[in-house]
Amino acid sequence: MPELPEVETTRRGLSPLLEGQTIERLEVRNGRLRWPVPEELPGRLAGARITTLARRAKYLLLDTDRGGALLHLGMSGSLRHCTPDVPLRTHDHLILHLTNGSQVRFHDPRRFGCCLPLPETGEVHPLLAALGPEPLDATFNGDYLFHRSRGRRGPVKAFIMDQDIVVGVGNIYATEALFLAGIRPGRAAGRVTRAEYERLAGFIRTVLGAAIEQGGTTLRDFLREDGTHGYFRQSLRVYGRAGEPCLECATPLRNRRIGQRTSAYCPTCQR
C-alpha cells in the first residue's frame, strides 16, 4: 500500500501542477470509498483556487480559498495528473477538473481510500488529531523514541509502526531501517537502548529520504502522479528477501511474523 514516501512523492509531483490553479468541478464517479464522499464536497470545491497541497502522515491535504479536502490513498490508491483525452480506467472514482483543461484522477481499485472535507473552523480533522511526529522533522530523534518505549514489551518493529508514536514508517521502511540499525524486529521495544534508538531514528530518516528521492516503492499497485513506477524496490536490502543471503554477511535471511506482517531479518547482523 502507499506509505509516506509514496504519498510524499505524489505531493511533490502534483504540487507545482495544482497550486494556483482553479477547480472547475469535482466529478464523483463512485463515491463509495472507505467513507462515502460527502454530497456537499463538490459544491464546496467548485470555483475554488488551490493554495497548497500538503501532507500529514499518509494524508494529502488540499487547501483552497474555499476550504479544503483530506485525501488518503488507502491500500491501492493513486492520483494521476493527465489531460481529458487519456482513456478512463475502471477504478477512476474521482476526477478533479481544473479550469486550465487538465485533470487529476483518483484511482482506487479496492476503495479503501477517502476524500473528505477539512473542517472550516481551522480545527484539526479527527483523523489527524492523535498522530505522532513526522519522522523527517527535528522533533523526531532517538531520545524521543527511547522515552516513549520505556516499559513496552511489544516488538520494536510494531512500536515504530505505531502511528501514535511516529507517522509513516510502514512495513517496508521499518524492516529496512531495523536492518541498517542492527536491531532485530522482534526485540522488545523497552529493551532497545538509547544509543540504538538514536541509530534507528537516523536510519528511519535515511531510508525514507532515499525512498522519496527514488519515487517510492512499487510492489504492485502504486504509481506516481505521472503514471510511472517508483524505483526504491531496487534498493531493498532485506524486505521480501527471506531465504536469500544477507548482503552484508551472506547469512540466509529469516522471516518472522510480527502482528499480521512478515519481517525479514539477518540473524547475524541484527541482535
PDB file of all heavy atoms in Angstrom, residues 127-142:
ATOM      1  N   LEU A 127      -9.163  12.525  12.001  1.00  0.00           N
ATOM      2  CA  LEU A 127      -8.224  11.514  11.522  1.00  0.00           C
ATOM      3  C   LEU A 127      -6.771  11.918  11.756  1.00  0.00           C
ATOM      4  O   LEU A 127      -5.868  11.075  11.716  1.00  0.00           O
ATOM      5  CB  LEU A 127      -8.443  11.245  10.030  1.00  0.00           C
ATOM      6  CG  LEU A 127      -9.744  10.535   9.655  1.00  0.00           C
ATOM      7  CD1 LEU A 127      -9.896  10.474   8.143  1.00  0.00           C
ATOM      8  CD2 LEU A 127      -9.782   9.126  10.250  1.00  0.00           C
ATOM      9  N   LEU A 128      -6.528  13.195  12.005  1.00  0.00           N
ATOM     10  CA  LEU A 128      -5.165  13.694  12.196  1.00  0.00           C
ATOM     11  C   LEU A 128      -4.832  13.989  13.654  1.00  0.00           C
ATOM     12  O   LEU A 128      -3.671  14.209  13.987  1.00  0.00           O
ATOM     13  CB  LEU A 128      -4.967  14.978  11.380  1.00  0.00           C
ATOM     14  CG  LEU A 128      -5.341  14.946   9.897  1.00  0.00           C
ATOM     15  CD1 LEU A 128      -5.113  16.324   9.277  1.00  0.00           C
ATOM     16  CD2 LEU A 128      -4.545  13.886   9.161  1.00  0.00           C
ATOM     17  N   ALA A 129      -5.841  13.966  14.518  1.00  0.00           N
ATOM     18  CA  ALA A 129      -5.687  14.502  15.875  1.00  0.00           C
ATOM     19  C   ALA A 129      -4.673  13.754  16.726  1.00  0.00           C
ATOM     20  O   ALA A 129      -3.942  14.366  17.518  1.00  0.00           O
ATOM     21  CB  ALA A 129      -7.045  14.527  16.569  1.00  0.00           C
ATOM     22  N   ALA A 130      -4.611  12.427  16.620  1.00  0.00           N
ATOM     23  CA  ALA A 130      -3.771  11.638  17.533  1.00  0.00           C
ATOM     24  C   ALA A 130      -2.449  11.205  16.920  1.00  0.00           C
ATOM     25  O   ALA A 130      -1.723  10.398  17.510  1.00  0.00           O
ATOM     26  CB  ALA A 130      -4.551  10.409  18.011  1.00  0.00           C
ATOM     27  N   LEU A 131      -2.112  11.729  15.767  1.00  0.00           N
ATOM     28  CA  LEU A 131      -0.909  11.268  15.074  1.00  0.00           C
ATOM     29  C   LEU A 131       0.372  11.728  15.768  1.00  0.00           C
ATOM     30  O   LEU A 131       0.443  12.817  16.326  1.00  0.00           O
ATOM     31  CB  LEU A 131      -0.915  11.778  13.633  1.00  0.00           C
ATOM     32  CG  LEU A 131      -2.011  11.213  12.725  1.00  0.00           C
ATOM     33  CD1 LEU A 131      -1.950  11.899  11.364  1.00  0.00           C
ATOM     34  CD2 LEU A 131      -1.881   9.703  12.580  1.00  0.00           C
ATOM     35  N   GLY A 132       1.396  10.876  15.695  1.00  0.00           N
ATOM     36  CA  GLY A 132       2.703  11.199  16.246  1.00  0.00           C
ATOM     37  C   GLY A 132       3.466  12.148  15.343  1.00  0.00           C
ATOM     38  O   GLY A 132       2.948  12.621  14.321  1.00  0.00           O
ATOM     39  N   PRO A 133       4.721  12.448  15.678  1.00  0.00           N
ATOM     40  CA  PRO A 133       5.511  13.385  14.880  1.00  0.00           C
ATOM     41  C   PRO A 133       5.884  12.813  13.512  1.00  0.00           C
ATOM     42  O   PRO A 133       5.857  11.601  13.295  1.00  0.00           O
ATOM     43  CB  PRO A 133       6.760  13.606  15.741  1.00  0.00           C
ATOM     44  CG  PRO A 133       6.882  12.356  16.550  1.00  0.00           C
ATOM     45  CD  PRO A 133       5.470  11.933  16.837  1.00  0.00           C
ATOM     46  N   GLU A 134       6.249  13.706  12.614  1.00  0.00           N
ATOM     47  CA  GLU A 134       6.759  13.303  11.301  1.00  0.00           C
ATOM     48  C   GLU A 134       8.193  12.792  11.468  1.00  0.00           C
ATOM     49  O   GLU A 134       8.996  13.412  12.161  1.00  0.00           O
ATOM     50  CB  GLU A 134       6.749  14.498  10.342  1.00  0.00           C
ATOM     51  CG  GLU A 134       5.375  14.992   9.969  1.00  0.00           C
ATOM     52  CD  GLU A 134       4.714  14.111   8.916  1.00  0.00           C
ATOM     53  OE1 GLU A 134       5.441  13.465   8.145  1.00  0.00           O
ATOM     54  OE2 GLU A 134       3.468  14.082   8.883  1.00  0.00           O
ATOM     55  N   PRO A 135       8.540  11.677  10.836  1.00  0.00           N
ATOM     56  CA  PRO A 135       9.885  11.117  11.014  1.00  0.00           C
ATOM     57  C   PRO A 135      10.990  11.973  10.412  1.00  0.00           C
ATOM     58  O   PRO A 135      12.162  11.794  10.756  1.00  0.00           O
ATOM     59  CB  PRO A 135       9.790   9.760  10.307  1.00  0.00           C
ATOM     60  CG  PRO A 135       8.678   9.906   9.337  1.00  0.00           C
ATOM     61  CD  PRO A 135       7.700  10.833   9.978  1.00  0.00           C
ATOM     62  N   LEU A 136      10.653  12.892   9.526  1.00  0.00           N
ATOM     63  CA  LEU A 136      11.668  13.753   8.920  1.00  0.00           C
ATOM     64  C   LEU A 136      11.781  15.096   9.629  1.00  0.00           C
ATOM     65  O   LEU A 136      12.588  15.941   9.230  1.00  0.00           O
ATOM     66  CB  LEU A 136      11.351  13.966   7.435  1.00  0.00           C
ATOM     67  CG  LEU A 136      11.277  12.683   6.593  1.00  0.00           C
ATOM     68  CD1 LEU A 136      10.928  13.015   5.149  1.00  0.00           C
ATOM     69  CD2 LEU A 136      12.572  11.894   6.668  1.00  0.00           C
ATOM     70  N   ASP A 137      10.977  15.311  10.694  1.00  0.00           N
ATOM     71  CA  ASP A 137      11.040  16.550  11.459  1.00  0.00           C
ATOM     72  C   ASP A 137      12.102  16.468  12.558  1.00  0.00           C
ATOM     73  O   ASP A 137      12.458  15.378  13.022  1.00  0.00           O
ATOM     74  CB  ASP A 137       9.681  16.862  12.098  1.00  0.00           C
ATOM     75  CG  ASP A 137       8.674  17.353  11.065  1.00  0.00           C
ATOM     76  OD1 ASP A 137       9.058  17.534   9.896  1.00  0.00           O
ATOM     77  OD2 ASP A 137       7.502  17.536  11.445  1.00  0.00           O
ATOM     78  N   ALA A 138      12.545  17.625  12.993  1.00  0.00           N
ATOM     79  CA  ALA A 138      13.579  17.691  14.025  1.00  0.00           C
ATOM     80  C   ALA A 138      13.098  17.146  15.369  1.00  0.00           C
ATOM     81  O   ALA A 138      13.905  16.726  16.203  1.00  0.00           O
ATOM     82  CB  ALA A 138      14.069  19.124  14.190  1.00  0.00           C
ATOM     83  N   THR A 139      11.784  17.139  15.601  1.00  0.00           N
ATOM     84  CA  THR A 139      11.256  16.649  16.882  1.00  0.00           C
ATOM     85  C   THR A 139      11.373  15.136  17.011  1.00  0.00           C
ATOM     86  O   THR A 139      11.215  14.598  18.107  1.00  0.00           O
ATOM     87  CB  THR A 139       9.778  17.039  17.031  1.00  0.00           C
ATOM     88  OG1 THR A 139       9.057  16.574  15.880  1.00  0.00           O
ATOM     89  CG2 THR A 139       9.624  18.549  17.144  1.00  0.00           C
ATOM     90  N   PHE A 140      11.648  14.458  15.903  1.00  0.00           N
ATOM     91  CA  PHE A 140      11.784  13.005  15.935  1.00  0.00           C
ATOM     92  C   PHE A 140      13.255  12.649  16.037  1.00  0.00           C
ATOM     93  O   PHE A 140      14.059  12.956  15.157  1.00  0.00           O
ATOM     94  CB  PHE A 140      11.184  12.387  14.668  1.00  0.00           C
ATOM     95  CG  PHE A 140      11.396  10.897  14.570  1.00  0.00           C
ATOM     96  CD1 PHE A 140      10.685  10.033  15.384  1.00  0.00           C
ATOM     97  CD2 PHE A 140      12.311  10.377  13.678  1.00  0.00           C
ATOM     98  CE1 PHE A 140      10.886   8.661  15.308  1.00  0.00           C
ATOM     99  CE2 PHE A 140      12.521   9.011  13.590  1.00  0.00           C
ATOM    100  CZ  PHE A 140      11.802   8.149  14.407  1.00  0.00           C
ATOM    101  N   ASN A 141      13.627  11.984  17.141  1.00  0.00           N
ATOM    102  CA  ASN A 141      15.022  11.582  17.338  1.00  0.00           C
ATOM    103  C   ASN A 141      15.081  10.390  18.289  1.00  0.00           C
ATOM    104  O   ASN A 141      14.057   9.883  18.759  1.00  0.00           O
ATOM    105  CB  ASN A 141      15.850  12.753  17.876  1.00  0.00           C
ATOM    106  CG  ASN A 141      15.240  13.365  19.127  1.00  0.00           C
ATOM    107  OD1 ASN A 141      14.743  12.662  20.004  1.00  0.00           O
ATOM    108  ND2 ASN A 141      15.263  14.694  19.211  1.00  0.00           N
ATOM    109  N   GLY A 142      16.297   9.954  18.577  1.00  0.00           N
ATOM    110  CA  GLY A 142      16.485   8.785  19.421  1.00  0.00           C
ATOM    111  C   GLY A 142      15.989   8.987  20.842  1.00  0.00           C
ATOM    112  O   GLY A 142      15.443   8.052  21.449  1.00  0.00           O
TER     113      GLY A 142
END
